[in-house]
Amino acid sequence: MRIGIVDLLGKEPPRNGYSRLMRANNTSIMPQVVGVWCEEEGHEVHIAYYSGPELLAGGLPEKLDLVFINAFSQAALLAYAFSAMYRHAGVPTVLGGPHARSYPEDARQYFDYVVGFCDRDLVREILADAGPHAPEGLYLSAKQQPASLPGLRQRWQFLKPSMDRARVLKLVPLLGSLGCPYKCSFCIDAVVPYQPLEYEGLKDDLRFFQELDLPRSVAVWHDPNFGIRFDEYLDAIEEVVPPGRITFVAETSLSLLKEDNLKRLKRNGFKAIAPGIESWFDIGDKSRMKRTMGMEKVRAVAEQANLVNSYIPYTQCNLIFGLDADDGAEPFELTKRFIDLAPGVYPHFALLSAFGRNAVLNLDYQRDGRVLPVPFHFLDLVQAMNVRPKNYTWTEFYDHVIDVFDYSFSARALARRYWTNKRSYIAWEQLFRGLSSERSNRLGYHRKMRRWLEQPEVRGFFEGETRDVPAVLTDQVREHLGPLWKWLPKKALAHDPNAFLHSGSAHPLPVLV
């Protein structure tokens, strides 16, 4: 058969300077893996990378027999429109990725197949059937994540088009493990058992990366929590990579970043690291500060983050706003103090969102009637929350968010961050990202949402008084989808936010639906 694979890198065309330069790097590994598996079954495979309706790289032929689409929830409506277009032409469609795991009940209305966990046997099963399924598609899931995956050497033909498009910086995705040993109640990976992949495969990935010798390239670990088996992973890297030969980026836990480990990471070319703080009052497992809260935690985390930043020039700390432990101005004021105490650290802020059935905590929110049917398009951790805050009105919450964003990316904060990291070219990237992506784009979104909340139609929707999607939200989806808007099914803007609760399943992994 002739197989098409669509990886949706963004829900809209790149609009600011930073996203124009970096969007082609938003690739996911599994679409490439599926491409390898399909080819190994004897099929002809083509891949296309889209951001909104704009083709960024690769491309698909006009005639196809089956199309796989990968999407996060923020790109779900784009995926639904693509699926409708292909199904209208008689081509069956398959949805995979985080949205398929989070909202399988909704996605089955718009696809012939919806995939949870995916392994080679499951792909083989889909290829053997490869037919239309209506009015609801089939939900299929492996019992667990695959034990092994095709490496970079096998995936490269499918990744290469996006890397060719990424002209300034090429972020090459690698994977050393699946799942996470920590049990953060909001996280999609917390319910997936931690599983390291084979070290020989990891070493071959690193050998091939060096063979490619790509200009301005960075190896980015897509592990949910890199280095859980720290010494074993660093041993594998050191066996095949001369010190400083590859620049690495990883997301990991603050508790792993002890000084001896930091020295080893620096020696091996790690230039960016992203530990999660998450909250000043909750979720302290990953920083080993479960009983440390408030200003005491701010001081302790700032001290640790400054130590990390002295070894790793791009230190990004992640925080979530809107958790139930947050109350009043204090969480936001504490964040400002952290910005003051750790001037070189890049802060990354997210708004709490409950993505269907992807986390245990979501079931509690649904039982309490707090989850809203916010269109998937806005569930990007920036534009809108779909959980009513426990301790804030909407306007209070957004006033605090706007204030802390404004402070964290003010001229003063940007200058201090640049000056602290001036020893590295990374300081320029942080300055550009802070101005373009954060201050201009994300802060602009929050201010727009705050203005929208003054409209009775929008306020009523977010207060749960009506399920009618406000016109301003619909208009933005129409603008972002462009020519694909005509293919979006009419009822796709609405969904059941409590489908997890209504399913009667207490487990967030939908092995069976």
Side-chain angles (χ1 to χ4, degrees), residues 130-150:
H133 293 276
E136 283 195 332
L138 300 180
Y139 179 81
L140 302 171
S141 181
K143 292 183 178 180
Q144 59 189 25
Q145 298 276 38
S148 63
L149 295 170

Side-chain angles (χ1 to χ4, degrees), residues 277 280 298 301-302 305 317 334-343 345:
I277 302 170
W280 302 120
V298 170
V301 171
C317 286
L334 290 174
T335 302
K336 292 183 190 178
R337 301 291 75 78
F338 176 74
I339 299 299
D340 295 338
L341 293 171
V345 171

Side-chain angles (χ1 to χ4, degrees), residues 287-307:
S287 58
R288 289 185 179 170
M289 297 182 187
K290 195 168 185 177
R291 294 179 176 83
T292 306
M293 299 182 185
M295 191 62 206
E296 182 184 1
K297 184 173 181 179
V298 170
R299 293 192 184 97
V301 171
E303 181 180 358
Q304 176 72 4
N306 285 331
L307 175 65

